[in-house]
Amino acid sequence: MDYAWSDDQSAILEAVDALCERYAGASRAIALDAKGEWDVSLDAALSEAGFAEIALGGDTGSLEAAMVTECVARCAGTLPAGAQLLVAPRLTGRALPGPVALVSLAHPGPVRFGDRARTALVDAGGEARLVSLVPGDTTPVRSNFMLPVGRIAVHGGSGESLGPGSGDALRRWWRVALAAELVGTMQAALDVTVAYVKGRRQFGRAIGSFQALQHRLALCVVQIEGARWLTLEAAAKEAPEEAAATAAAQAADAANHVFRETHQMTGAMGFTREHDLHVFSMRLQALRLELGGASAHLRAIASSRWNAPSRV
Amino acid sequence: MEFDWSEGDETFRRELRAFLDAELPPDWAELSADGPGSDAQSTFSRAFCAKLAQRGWLTQNWPAAYGGGDATPWRHAILSEEMWRVGEPRGSQYMNVNWIGPTIMKYGTEEQKALHLPRISAGDVLWCQGFSEPEAGSDLVSLRTAAVREGDDYVVNGSKIWTSYVSGAEYCFLLVRTDPTSKRHRGITVLLAPMNAPGISVREVPAVIGERYFHELFFDEARIPAGCRLGPEGEGWGVVSYALAFERVGAMRYARAALTLDALAGAARERGMLGDPVVQEKLGAARCAVEVGRLLSYRVIDLRAKGSEPTPDTNLARVAGTMCENAVSDLALEIFGSESLAYGHFGESYWRLAMPAGVAVGTTEINLNLIASRWLGLPRE
C-alpha cells in the first residue's frame, strides 16, 4: 500500500500543469466557449508531450492517465480528456483522432464534443462500437454548460464492433474517466469559492470566517477527497465494475452538492461570466448527467456487488 | 502509489479471520449485543486478549524493545479492521494497545513502564479514560477537576462524565488541572489513576445506546499517589496530544459498516426488496460512504507509515467514518421495518451502537472546524 504520488507521477503532473498554464485555464475556456470551439492547441500540446498515450506507456498506465485527466479538468481544459487519455487507449489499445465523443445508445441525447467529434465510442449494450465520423454525422447543439455539445448520428450497427463484452468495458472506463473529470472540476470549483469567501467581506469580516460556511465547505472537501481516492483506486485496479461505479456515483453525487454550495457562497457574483466559478460549476452539471447519472451508477454498484436484478 | 495489499498482509488477514472464527463463541452476536462497555463483553475481552497476546498479535504494533512485534501501521490497521468488523472483541483493550501503552513508553518512568506495559501486553488489564467533564466536552481544555499536591499524593476533587468501559477498569487515564490559576492548555496534568483509590466513586448514566456505556466518575478528596503522574506536572496537554495522535484514525468504522451493509443487501434480497431501484440506490449510496470511509482512513495510515506529523487528513477520515456509519445504520433500520423495534435485532443492534459515531472521540463539528482552518486555511474571525 502506498497513497503518495511517486516522484515520476509528481513530475508528470507538474508537466501537465505547465502545459495547462499555457493552453488552459478558466479565461481561455470562456474565450473558447464564446467562439464555440474546442482546444486544438491543448490537444496538440498534450499529444506532442506524449500524454495522449500515457495509459499505454511502459512505466505509466491507467492510474497516470486518470491523474492527468483530473489535472486537465481542474485546469478547465476544453477537450475530452477522459475519453481520449483513458477510455480510447484502454478500449482500442491506441489513441484515437480527437475530439473523441462517448455515446450511450441507452441514454440518447446531445453529448460532449458531439458538435465536431472525429471519433465516437458507442455503448451499444453488449458491445462497444468504434465509429469514425465525417462532418455530416455531427450536429452542434447550443448549450449553456461551458462545453461544446452536439448530437451524433450513430446506431447499433455503426462502425466496427470492439468485440463481445466490450460494452461493459466501455461503461467501466467511461465511469472512471468521468469520475476523474468530475473530481478535477469539483476541486477547481471549490478552490475558486474558497478564494472568494476569504476575500469577500460583509458585516466587517471575511464571510469565510463564518462557521455556517466553514462546515459546509469542509463537507465538500470530504466528498471531493472521497471521490478522488475512489477514482485513483479504480483506475489503478483497471476499472473493476464495482469500483468504477462507486467512483462515478460518489463523484456525480458530490458534484451537485458542490455546485449548490459553491454557488450559494459566491452569491450573485458566481452566476456571472466575469467570475471563473461558472466554467467549472456548469461543467459539473453536464458531467453528472452522463451515462444515466448518479442513479444509474448507484444501481450499477448494487448489481455488481450484490447481483441486484436490473430493470430492463 | 499502490492500492494492493502485500502478500504478507493478505496472509496475516487470513490467519486473523481463521483465529476469530475459532475464538468467537457461537453466541457472540448475542453476547456483544449490549455493546463493548457491557459486563459480558468486558469479561470476554480478558480471555480473548490473552489469546491474542499468545499469538503475538495484541501488541504487535509496539516496538520490539517493549515486547511488541514492530508491526507496520498497515499491519496494525488490518488487525483493527478485523476486530472492529466483528464488534471489537478486545472491548476497551484496543485503547491500551493503541495509545495508552505507547504514551506510557514515551512519557512514563521506569517504574510506570514496569508496572503497566507487561500487564497491557498480557491482555489482562482494563483501562478507562477520564477526559470529558460536565462543563468540558468539545471544549476539553476548560476542564476543572482539580488535583492538589499534598506530600506524596495528589488530592483530586471534581468529576468526569461520559466515561465508557468502567466495568472492571483498574486504571483511569485521567486529565486533571494541577494549577488552579492556570487557563486552557496550561496547568493540565495526566494521572494514571488506580480506580480503587479511596475517594473515587462511579455512577452509571443510563443511555439508549448500550448497557454500561456512560458513567460519571466522582473524585471526593481522592488520593492518587504522585508516582502515578505521567509526564511533568502541568504538561499534560502535550501528553494527551501525543496520545491522541496515536489514535488518529480511531475506530475502523467502515469495516463493520461494510460487513453489515452486505448483510443488509442479503436481507433485502430475502425480503424481495433488492429489485426495487430505490433500495438499490440507497444500498449503493451507503456503499459509496463505506468506501470513502475506508480510503480516507487508508490515506491517514499511509501518512503514519511514512512518519508524517498528524495532518487534517485525520479529520476527513473521522467525518467520513461517521457518514458511513450513518448511511448504513439508517438502512439497517429501514430494511427490516418494524422488526427493528425488537431489542437486539440485527438492524437495531447495529443502528444503536452506531448512533454516537458523530459524537464519540471528538464531534463532527470539531473535525469540520479543523478541516476549515487547517485544510482550507479559512480565517477564524
Side-chain angles (χ1 to χ4, degrees):
Chain A
M1 296 290 236
D2 182 359
Y3 278 63
W5 284 258
S6 69
D7 290 345
D8 287 348
Q9 287 165 344
S10 300
I12 289 168
L13 289 176
E14 271 173 42
V16 177
D17 260 328
L19 277 184
C20 288
E21 190 80 23
R22 285 183 65 187
Y23 296 110
S27 14
R28 190 174 163 97
I30 293 168
L32 287 167
D33 182 68
K35 289 185 284 185
E37 288 178 6
W38 79 305
D39 206 332
V40 185
S41 310
L42 176 60
D43 186 56
L46 285 170
S47 293
E48 200 173 311
F51 292 118
E53 296 187 332
I54 190 167
L56 306 169
D59 304 327
T60 58
S62 308
L63 175 59
E64 287 74 17
M67 289 175 178
V68 172
T69 298
E70 180 191 322
C71 183
V72 169
R74 181 168 47 76
C75 298
T78 307
L79 82 179
Q84 295 186 185
L85 303 183
L86 200 51
V87 183
R90 281 280 80 95
L91 249 69
T92 67
R94 60 184 197 273
L96 299 175
V100 174
L102 303 179
V103 180
S104 164
L105 296 184
H107 303 285
V111 298
R112 277 194 279 157
F113 302 96
D115 60 323
R116 76 195 58 223
R118 283 199 292 157
T119 312
L121 284 166
V122 181
D123 169 10
E127 57 184 19
R129 303 193 72 86
L130 171 61
V131 189
S132 293
L133 300 170
V134 294
D137 295 334
T138 56
T139 313
V141 171
R142 187 179 169 216
S143 174
N144 196 32
F145 289 88
M146 296 308 290
L147 286 164
V149 165
R151 290 182 196 277
I152 301 182
V154 285
H155 51 80
S158 301
E160 55 170 303
S161 167
L162 293 173
S166 55
D168 275 336
L170 172 55
R171 287 187 290 277
R172 292 190 288 110
W173 283 109
W174 187 343
R175 286 194 164 114
V176 174
L178 178 60
E181 290 175 317
L182 279 162
V183 167
T185 311
M186 283 192 278
Q187 184 64 56
L190 181 71
D191 289 345
V192 298
T193 302
V194 168
Y196 179 84
V197 301
K198 283 179 182 173
R200 171 71 175 166
R201 297 183 69 83
Q202 288 287 274
F203 307 103
R205 57 195 276 200
I207 60 171
S209 68
F210 288 110
Q211 209 173 36
L213 271 56
Q214 290 189 348
H215 282 189
R216 286 154 59 195
L217 287 166
L219 282 170
C220 288
V221 173
V222 175
Q223 295 298 356
I224 296 169
E225 289 301 306
R228 184 193 317 284
W229 287 102
L230 283 169
T231 303
L232 293 173
E233 187 186 56
K237 295 192 168 194
E238 304 299 339
E241 190 179 353
E242 185 196 327
T246 308
Q250 169 69 21
D253 187 58
N256 198 41
H257 180 76
V258 169
F259 176 92
R260 290 288 171 210
E261 295 292 43
T262 53
H263 271 294
Q264 187 61 29
M265 294 183 201
T266 51
M269 180 56 82
F271 300 127
T272 68
R273 294 187 191 277
E274 294 166 8
H275 188 276
D276 290 347
L277 176 63
H278 75 285
V279 174
F280 305 105
S281 64
M282 297 303 279
R283 286 182 178 186
L284 284 179
Q285 292 298 340
L287 294 171
R288 84 176 179 95
L289 299 178
E290 274 185 22
L291 207 48
S295 296
H297 307 317
L298 289 169
R299 292 197 302 273
I301 297 171
S303 96
S304 157
R305 184 167 185 83
W306 301 295
N307 203 20
S310 49
R311 271 192 315 184
V312 182
Chain B
M1 213 170 269
E2 169 61 60
F3 293 94
D4 285 318
W5 293 100
S6 71
E7 219 166 281
D9 288 341
E10 298 273 27
T11 306
F12 174 63
R13 192 188 293 276
R14 275 194 301 275
E15 287 173 3
L16 205 50
R17 286 193 179 176
F19 172 83
L20 285 165
D21 281 344
E23 295 300 335
L24 293 185
D27 63 344
W28 169 248
E30 220 168 291
L31 191 153
S32 59
D34 296 329
S38 65
D39 289 338
Q41 218 168 318
S42 294
T43 307
F44 180 81
S45 84
R46 287 178 187 267
F48 178 82
C49 286
K51 286 179 187 157
L52 265 185
Q54 281 161 18
R55 300 290 290 256
W57 289 338
L58 182 65
T59 57
Q60 59 158 3
N61 57 319
W62 288 14
Y66 292 103
D70 277 325
T72 64
W74 284 111
R75 188 62 67 89
H76 193 57
I78 294 173
L79 181 90
S80 304
E81 279 186 351
E82 294 302 317
M83 293 298 152
W84 190 263
R85 188 168 175 267
V86 297
E88 194 47 276
R90 292 176 299 173
S92 64
Q93 292 197 49
Y94 77 91
M95 298 195 302
N96 305 6
V97 298
N98 282 5
W99 60 267
I100 295 175
T103 306
I104 292 172
M105 287 172 213
K106 163 98 171 167
Y107 291 99
T109 62
E110 289 311 311
E111 290 75 13
Q112 287 168 339
K113 290 180 195 174
L115 172 65
H116 294 298
L117 298 181
R119 293 201 60 203
I120 292 178
S121 317
D124 76 340
V125 62
L126 303 184
W127 285 71
C128 59
Q129 69 173 53
F131 287 7
S132 295
E133 296 181 3
E135 301 301 326
S138 286
D139 186 17
L140 184 59
V141 294
S142 64
L143 66 91
R144 293 192 302 212
T145 293
V148 177
R149 183 70 181 259
E150 272 185 25
D152 289 338
D153 292 332
Y154 283 101
V155 177
V156 181
N157 282 290
S159 68
K160 295 287 172 180
I161 198 167
W162 317 133
T163 307
S164 297
Y165 310 124
V166 176
S167 287
E170 287 180 56
Y171 293 96
C172 179
F173 193 99
L174 180 68
L175 295 188
V176 293
R177 191 170 291 284
T178 36
D179 176 358
T181 65
S182 67
K183 289 275 189 298
R184 313 292 295 167
H185 304 83
R186 282 179 287 279
I188 291 174
T189 299
V190 175
L191 298 177
L192 306 175
M195 288 293 284
N196 62 2
I200 301 183
S201 58
V202 174
R203 177 182 83 90
E204 182 183 355
V205 186
V208 290
I209 50 180
E211 179 193 305
R212 302 211 61 172
Y213 204 102
F214 290 144
H215 302 78
E216 201 162 5
L217 306 183
F218 299 98
F219 299 85
D220 180 15
E221 299 287 307
R223 298 191 83 88
I224 310 293
C228 296
R229 192 188 68 223
L230 184 64
E233 187 174 291
E235 306 283 330
W237 191 253
V239 178
V240 79
S241 300
Y242 179 84
L244 294 182
F246 264 96
E247 191 58 354
R248 281 179 215 173
V249 189
M252 307 299 226
R253 296 187 174 278
Y254 60 86
R256 190 169 196 199
L259 190 68
T260 302
L261 185 60
D262 287 340
L264 291 173
R269 185 195 313 281
E270 281 167 21
R271 299 168 77 87
M273 299 161 71
L274 196 55
D276 180 343
V278 175
V279 172
Q280 291 180 1
E281 288 186 27
K282 286 187 174 186
L283 287 166
R287 181 68 196 166
C288 284
V290 166
E291 286 288 87
V292 168
R294 176 179 65 85
L295 283 165
L296 295 185
S297 293
Y298 282 4
R299 167 84 177 144
V300 177
I301 294 160
D302 188 57
L303 287 166
R304 174 117 183 246
K306 295 186 169 120
S308 149
E309 291 296 305
T311 64
D313 290 271
T314 303
N315 309 106
L316 295 184
R318 285 182 178 275
V319 173
T322 295
M323 292 170 83
C324 104
E325 284 271 48
N326 292 348
V328 174
S329 65
D330 286 349
L331 269 178
L333 284 194
E334 291 169 18
I335 295 279
F336 296 105
S338 60
E339 296 289 345
S340 300
L341 297 180
Y343 182 84
H345 187 273
F346 177 82
E348 188 271 347
S349 287
Y350 180 82
W351 177 85
R352 174 165 37 83
L353 295 173
M355 225 193 301
V359 171
V361 204
T363 61
T364 297
E365 286 71 16
I366 294 294
N367 284 302
L368 294 175
N369 281 349
L370 293 169
I371 296 168
S373 64
R374 295 179 187 173
W375 184 287
L376 292 173
L378 291 171
R380 282 188 192 278
E381 278 289 315

